[in-house]
Amino acid sequence: MTRFHVVVPTRRRTPVVLPEVVTDLRPPGHQGEHHLVGRGAELAGWDGALVPFDPGGRDSLIVAAELLRDSRHIEVIAEFHPAIATPVYAAKLSASLQRYTGARLGWRLLVDLDPAVARAHGDFLEGPARYARADEFLTTAKGVWDRQGYTYEGEYFQVLDGGLPPSRTPRPFPRVYLSGRSAPALELSARHADVHIFDPGDDPALVPEGVAPAVRLTVPAPLAATDRAERELADEIRRHRERGITEFLLDLAAPAEDTYRLGQRVLPLLEKEIEHAG
Protein backbone atom coordinates (compact mmCIF):
# COMPACT_ATOMS: atom_id res chain seq x y z
CA MET A 1 0.00 0.00 0.00
CA THR A 2 1.37 3.40 -1.03
CA ARG A 3 0.68 6.34 1.27
CA PHE A 4 1.06 10.07 0.60
CA HIS A 5 1.61 12.80 3.21
CA VAL A 6 1.81 16.54 2.69
CA VAL A 7 4.30 18.65 4.69
CA VAL A 8 2.39 21.39 6.50
CA PRO A 9 3.85 24.92 6.74
CA THR A 10 4.42 26.16 10.28
CA ARG A 11 4.93 29.86 9.55
CA ARG A 12 3.87 32.54 7.10
CA ARG A 13 5.71 32.25 3.81
CA THR A 14 5.50 36.00 3.16
CA PRO A 15 5.55 38.42 6.09
CA VAL A 16 2.82 41.02 6.16
CA VAL A 17 4.12 44.59 5.78
CA LEU A 18 1.98 47.04 7.71
CA PRO A 19 1.95 50.82 7.26
CA GLU A 20 3.73 52.82 9.94
CA VAL A 21 0.45 54.18 11.31
CA VAL A 22 -0.71 50.68 12.27
CA THR A 23 0.23 49.81 15.84
CA ASP A 24 -2.04 46.81 16.48
CA LEU A 25 0.17 43.81 15.74
CA ARG A 26 -2.29 41.14 16.80
CA PRO A 27 -2.56 38.31 14.23
CA PRO A 28 -5.55 38.41 11.90
CA GLY A 29 -8.55 36.31 12.76
CA HIS A 30 -8.59 34.26 9.54
CA GLN A 31 -7.31 30.70 9.39
CA GLY A 32 -3.61 30.07 8.85
CA GLU A 33 -2.08 28.29 5.89
CA HIS A 34 -1.45 25.16 7.94
CA HIS A 35 -5.20 24.88 8.47
CA LEU A 36 -5.87 25.26 4.74
CA VAL A 37 -3.31 22.59 3.88
CA GLY A 38 -4.70 20.18 6.46
CA ARG A 39 -8.24 20.71 5.18
CA GLY A 40 -7.01 20.29 1.62
CA ALA A 41 -5.31 17.00 2.48
CA GLU A 42 -8.51 15.77 4.09
CA LEU A 43 -10.75 16.71 1.16
CA ALA A 44 -8.33 15.67 -1.59
CA GLY A 45 -7.78 12.15 -0.28
CA TRP A 46 -4.25 12.35 1.09
CA ASP A 47 -3.26 9.77 3.71
CA GLY A 48 -1.63 12.17 6.12
CA ALA A 49 0.12 15.43 6.95
CA LEU A 50 3.52 16.02 8.53
CA VAL A 51 3.95 19.01 10.83
CA PRO A 52 7.73 19.62 10.93
CA PHE A 53 9.72 20.86 13.90
CA ASP A 54 10.50 24.50 13.11
CA PRO A 55 12.56 26.51 15.64
CA GLY A 56 11.13 29.77 14.28
CA GLY A 57 7.62 28.56 13.55
CA ARG A 58 4.57 27.29 15.36
CA ASP A 59 4.91 24.34 17.73
CA SER A 60 4.42 21.07 15.86
CA LEU A 61 2.38 19.32 18.55
CA ILE A 62 0.00 22.26 18.91
CA VAL A 63 -0.48 22.51 15.14
CA ALA A 64 -0.95 18.74 14.93
CA ALA A 65 -3.64 18.87 17.62
CA GLU A 66 -5.47 21.59 15.69
CA LEU A 67 -5.32 19.63 12.43
CA LEU A 68 -6.52 16.46 14.15
CA ARG A 69 -9.44 18.36 15.66
CA ASP A 70 -10.37 19.76 12.26
CA SER A 71 -10.20 16.47 10.33
CA ARG A 72 -11.69 12.99 10.44
CA HIS A 73 -9.52 10.75 8.29
CA ILE A 74 -5.91 11.87 7.78
CA GLU A 75 -3.01 10.84 9.98
CA VAL A 76 -1.21 13.86 11.43
CA ILE A 77 2.49 13.36 12.19
CA ALA A 78 4.09 15.72 14.71
CA GLU A 79 7.86 16.11 14.42
CA PHE A 80 9.71 16.82 17.67
CA HIS A 81 12.98 15.98 19.41
CA PRO A 82 13.45 13.88 22.57
CA ALA A 83 14.49 16.86 24.69
CA ILE A 84 11.05 18.45 24.34
CA ALA A 85 9.68 16.74 27.47
CA THR A 86 9.90 13.54 29.48
CA PRO A 87 8.74 10.46 27.56
CA VAL A 88 6.02 9.91 30.16
CA TYR A 89 4.54 13.36 29.55
CA ALA A 90 4.83 12.95 25.77
CA ALA A 91 3.02 9.61 26.07
CA LYS A 92 0.27 11.08 28.25
CA LEU A 93 -0.30 14.01 25.92
CA SER A 94 -0.37 11.70 22.90
CA ALA A 95 -2.69 9.19 24.56
CA SER A 96 -5.21 11.98 25.08
CA LEU A 97 -4.92 13.02 21.44
CA GLN A 98 -5.34 9.42 20.29
CA ARG A 99 -8.42 9.02 22.42
CA TYR A 100 -10.19 12.11 21.14
CA THR A 101 -9.13 11.99 17.47
CA GLY A 102 -9.62 8.37 16.45
CA ALA A 103 -5.98 7.33 16.99
CA ARG A 104 -4.62 9.36 14.06
CA LEU A 105 -1.49 10.87 15.65
CA GLY A 106 1.98 9.93 14.43
CA TRP A 107 5.40 10.72 15.91
CA ARG A 108 8.35 11.87 13.81
CA LEU A 109 11.21 11.76 16.29
CA LEU A 110 13.96 14.16 15.22
CA VAL A 111 17.19 12.81 16.70
CA ASP A 112 19.83 14.87 14.86
CA LEU A 113 19.39 18.59 15.39
CA ASP A 114 21.75 21.29 14.25
CA PRO A 115 24.02 21.80 17.31
CA ALA A 116 23.26 25.52 17.53
CA VAL A 117 19.50 24.87 17.39
CA ALA A 118 19.79 22.10 19.98
CA ARG A 119 21.71 24.30 22.41
CA ALA A 120 19.26 27.16 21.88
CA HIS A 121 16.55 24.74 23.06
CA GLY A 122 18.50 23.70 26.12
CA ASP A 123 19.81 20.42 24.67
CA PHE A 124 23.57 19.96 24.88
CA LEU A 125 23.72 16.24 24.15
CA GLU A 126 25.96 15.32 21.20
CA GLY A 127 27.21 12.35 19.22
CA PRO A 128 25.98 8.76 19.63
CA ALA A 129 24.41 9.68 22.97
CA ARG A 130 21.56 11.31 21.04
CA TYR A 131 20.53 7.91 19.66
CA ALA A 132 20.91 6.24 23.05
CA ARG A 133 18.58 8.88 24.54
CA ALA A 134 16.10 8.47 21.67
CA ASP A 135 16.07 4.72 22.29
CA GLU A 136 15.32 5.27 25.98
CA PHE A 137 12.69 7.89 25.12
CA LEU A 138 10.76 5.52 22.87
CA THR A 139 11.27 2.53 25.16
CA THR A 140 9.92 4.44 28.13
CA ALA A 141 7.02 6.03 26.26
CA LYS A 142 5.92 2.62 24.96
CA GLY A 143 6.46 1.08 28.39
CA VAL A 144 4.09 3.41 30.22
CA TRP A 145 1.57 3.44 27.38
CA ASP A 146 -0.41 0.31 28.11
CA ARG A 147 0.71 -1.12 31.42
CA GLN A 148 0.63 -0.28 35.12
CA GLY A 149 3.50 -0.58 37.57
CA TYR A 150 6.10 0.10 34.87
CA THR A 151 9.64 0.72 36.10
CA TYR A 152 12.60 1.71 33.97
CA GLU A 153 16.11 2.68 35.01
CA GLY A 154 18.11 4.21 32.18
CA GLU A 155 20.93 6.67 31.76
CA TYR A 156 18.67 9.48 30.55
CA PHE A 157 15.22 8.59 31.87
CA GLN A 158 13.92 6.80 34.94
CA VAL A 159 10.40 5.70 35.83
CA LEU A 160 9.33 4.11 39.10
CA ASP A 161 5.99 2.26 39.24
CA GLY A 162 4.52 4.32 36.42
CA GLY A 163 2.01 3.77 33.63
CA LEU A 164 -0.93 5.54 32.06
CA PRO A 165 -4.45 4.80 33.33
CA PRO A 166 -6.36 2.24 31.25
CA SER A 167 -8.84 3.52 28.68
CA ARG A 168 -12.06 2.03 27.32
CA THR A 169 -11.38 3.87 24.06
CA PRO A 170 -8.80 2.24 21.72
CA ARG A 171 -5.60 4.27 21.68
CA PRO A 172 -2.77 2.55 19.79
CA PHE A 173 0.70 4.00 20.21
CA PRO A 174 1.46 6.69 17.60
CA ARG A 175 3.01 5.45 14.38
CA VAL A 176 6.76 6.17 14.72
CA TYR A 177 8.71 7.79 11.86
CA LEU A 178 12.53 7.84 12.04
CA SER A 179 15.34 8.61 9.60
CA GLY A 180 19.10 8.50 9.01
CA ARG A 181 21.68 6.35 7.22
CA SER A 182 24.16 5.77 10.05
CA ALA A 183 24.38 2.47 11.89
CA PRO A 184 22.89 3.97 15.11
CA ALA A 185 20.00 5.46 13.13
CA LEU A 186 19.18 2.18 11.39
CA GLU A 187 19.49 0.25 14.67
CA LEU A 188 17.08 2.68 16.32
CA SER A 189 14.60 2.16 13.48
CA ALA A 190 14.93 -1.60 13.73
CA ARG A 191 13.86 -1.39 17.38
CA HIS A 192 11.18 1.27 17.23
CA ALA A 193 10.16 2.57 13.79
CA ASP A 194 7.07 1.88 11.77
CA VAL A 195 8.41 4.02 8.91
CA HIS A 196 11.99 5.01 8.00
CA ILE A 197 12.40 8.20 5.95
CA PHE A 198 15.21 8.39 3.40
CA ASP A 199 16.53 11.18 1.20
CA PRO A 200 15.80 10.75 -2.54
CA GLY A 201 19.29 9.40 -3.33
CA ASP A 202 19.47 6.89 -0.48
CA ASP A 203 19.16 3.13 -0.91
CA PRO A 204 15.83 1.87 0.50
CA ALA A 205 17.38 -1.59 0.82
CA LEU A 206 18.93 -0.28 4.04
CA VAL A 207 15.56 -0.17 5.73
CA PRO A 208 15.28 -2.66 8.61
CA GLU A 209 13.00 -5.65 8.17
CA GLY A 210 9.39 -4.92 9.01
CA VAL A 211 9.80 -1.13 8.64
CA ALA A 212 8.12 0.74 5.77
CA PRO A 213 10.55 2.77 3.60
CA ALA A 214 9.60 6.39 2.90
CA VAL A 215 11.12 9.30 1.02
CA ARG A 216 10.67 13.03 1.48
CA LEU A 217 10.47 14.92 -1.82
CA THR A 218 10.69 18.67 -2.35
CA VAL A 219 8.54 20.13 -5.12
CA PRO A 220 10.39 23.39 -5.89
CA ALA A 221 7.76 25.18 -8.00
CA PRO A 222 3.96 25.42 -7.90
CA LEU A 223 2.45 22.61 -9.95
CA ALA A 224 -0.21 24.90 -11.33
CA ALA A 225 2.46 26.66 -13.38
CA THR A 226 2.63 23.79 -15.89
CA ASP A 227 1.16 20.36 -16.52
CA ARG A 228 4.69 19.17 -17.22
CA ALA A 229 5.53 19.61 -13.53
CA GLU A 230 2.69 17.22 -12.66
CA ARG A 231 3.98 14.59 -15.06
CA GLU A 232 7.55 14.95 -13.83
CA LEU A 233 6.47 14.55 -10.21
CA ALA A 234 4.34 11.51 -11.06
CA ASP A 235 7.31 9.97 -12.91
CA GLU A 236 9.60 10.62 -9.95
CA ILE A 237 7.14 8.97 -7.58
CA ARG A 238 6.91 5.97 -9.93
CA ARG A 239 10.70 5.59 -9.96
CA HIS A 240 10.87 5.60 -6.18
CA ARG A 241 7.99 3.18 -5.95
CA GLU A 242 9.83 0.78 -8.27
CA ARG A 243 12.73 0.90 -5.80
CA GLY A 244 10.46 -0.26 -2.99
CA ILE A 245 9.39 3.06 -1.44
CA THR A 246 5.87 2.80 -0.02
CA GLU A 247 5.39 6.19 1.67
CA PHE A 248 5.95 9.70 0.31
CA LEU A 249 6.21 12.99 2.19
CA LEU A 250 5.80 15.87 -0.24
CA ASP A 251 7.12 19.34 0.59
CA LEU A 252 5.23 21.63 -1.79
CA ALA A 253 6.26 25.11 -2.86
CA ALA A 254 2.60 26.18 -2.88
CA PRO A 255 1.07 23.81 -0.32
CA ALA A 256 -2.37 25.40 -0.01
CA GLU A 257 -2.97 25.21 -3.78
CA ASP A 258 -0.96 22.14 -4.77
CA THR A 259 -2.44 19.93 -2.06
CA TYR A 260 -5.75 20.07 -3.92
CA ARG A 261 -4.15 19.86 -7.35
CA LEU A 262 -2.16 16.75 -6.47
CA GLY A 263 -5.16 15.13 -4.86
CA GLN A 264 -7.33 15.80 -7.89
CA ARG A 265 -4.91 15.03 -10.73
CA VAL A 266 -1.78 13.11 -9.69
CA LEU A 267 -2.58 10.86 -6.72
CA PRO A 268 -5.71 9.27 -8.26
CA LEU A 269 -3.69 8.31 -11.34
CA LEU A 270 -0.96 6.73 -9.24
CA GLU A 271 -3.48 4.87 -7.10
CA LYS A 272 -5.14 3.43 -10.22
CA GLU A 273 -1.75 2.26 -11.45
CA ILE A 274 -1.09 0.60 -8.10
CA GLU A 275 -4.43 -1.21 -8.19
CA HIS A 276 -3.82 -2.34 -11.78
CA ALA A 277 -0.33 -3.58 -10.89
CA GLY A 278 -1.75 -5.55 -7.98
Side-chain angles (χ1 to χ4, degrees):
M1 178 181 178
T2 305
R3 291 164 52 88
F4 297 93
H5 312 272
V6 63
V7 178
V8 177
T10 56
R11 64 171 82 185
R12 285 182 179 273
R13 285 182 292 167
T14 304
V16 176
V17 179
L18 299 175
E20 294 182 0
V21 295
V22 177
T23 58
D24 188 349
L25 300 180
R26 291 176 297 179
H30 61 75
Q31 297 167 336
E33 188 177 25
H34 64 279
H35 173 91
L36 299 176
V37 175
R39 177 58 62 88
E42 175 88 357
L43 296 177
W46 290 69
D47 297 288
L50 168 68
V51 185
F53 168 75
D54 181 359
R58 299 177 179 91
D59 181 78
S60 59
L61 281 164
I62 299 300
V63 173
E66 180 184 357
L67 296 182
L68 285 165
R69 181 173 180 262
D70 196 49
S71 61
R72 296 180 61 187
H73 305 291
I74 58 171
E75 176 188 32
V76 181
I77 309 156
E79 182 178 73
F80 59 93
H81 57 96
I84 189 174
T86 70
V88 177
Y89 179 75
K92 181 178 180 180
L93 182 153
S94 299
S96 296
L97 284 174
Q98 294 292 64
R99 178 179 182 182
Y100 293 117
T101 61
R104 293 182 290 115
L105 174 69
W107 280 9
R108 162 71 174 108
L109 203 65
L110 189 60
V111 181
D112 284 316
L113 279 178
D114 177 270
V117 173
R119 288 192 291 268
H121 284 75
D123 179 14
F124 286 77
L125 203 62
E126 297 182 353
R130 292 172 295 179
Y131 284 93
R133 179 182 62 184
D135 182 28
E136 288 192 11
F137 185 96
L138 289 166
T139 297
T140 305
K142 292 178 178 179
V144 300
W145 187 266
D146 57 3
R147 72 188 77 170
Q148 296 288 296
Y150 178 76
T151 295
Y152 180 83
E153 185 71 26
E155 183 177 355
Y156 304 98
F157 303 106
Q158 296 83 37
V159 177
L160 178 62
D161 195 21
L164 302 182
S167 173
R168 292 189 295 270
T169 304
R171 57 172 196 201
F173 194 83
R175 207 159 176 250
V176 176
Y177 291 73
L178 297 172
S179 64
R181 292 174 296 176
S182 66
L186 295 171
E187 290 169 3
L188 183 67
S189 275
R191 289 192 292 271
H192 295 290
D194 297 291
V195 181
H196 191 95
I197 305 170
F198 289 103
D199 291 331
D202 292 341
D203 183 3
L206 294 172
V207 69
E209 184 177 356
V211 179
V215 66
R216 181 167 174 172
L217 301 177
T218 299
V219 182
L223 293 176
T226 169
D227 290 341
R228 180 181 178 182
E230 293 180 0
R231 295 193 299 271
E232 290 176 349
L233 177 59
D235 289 341
E236 184 176 7
I237 291 173
R238 290 189 192 98
R239 290 193 295 270
H240 286 295
R241 202 172 61 205
E242 290 170 357
R243 298 171 62 223
I245 297 294
T246 59
E247 305 221 10
F248 295 85
L249 298 94
L250 301 181
D251 202 337
L252 307 174
E257 299 85 357
D258 285 348
T259 298
Y260 286 100
R261 190 174 181 88
L262 270 169
Q264 293 171 348
R265 296 168 62 93
V266 179
L267 301 189
L269 172 63
L270 293 168
E271 290 297 336
K272 289 179 181 179
E273 293 175 353
I274 294 167
E275 292 174 4
H276 179 72

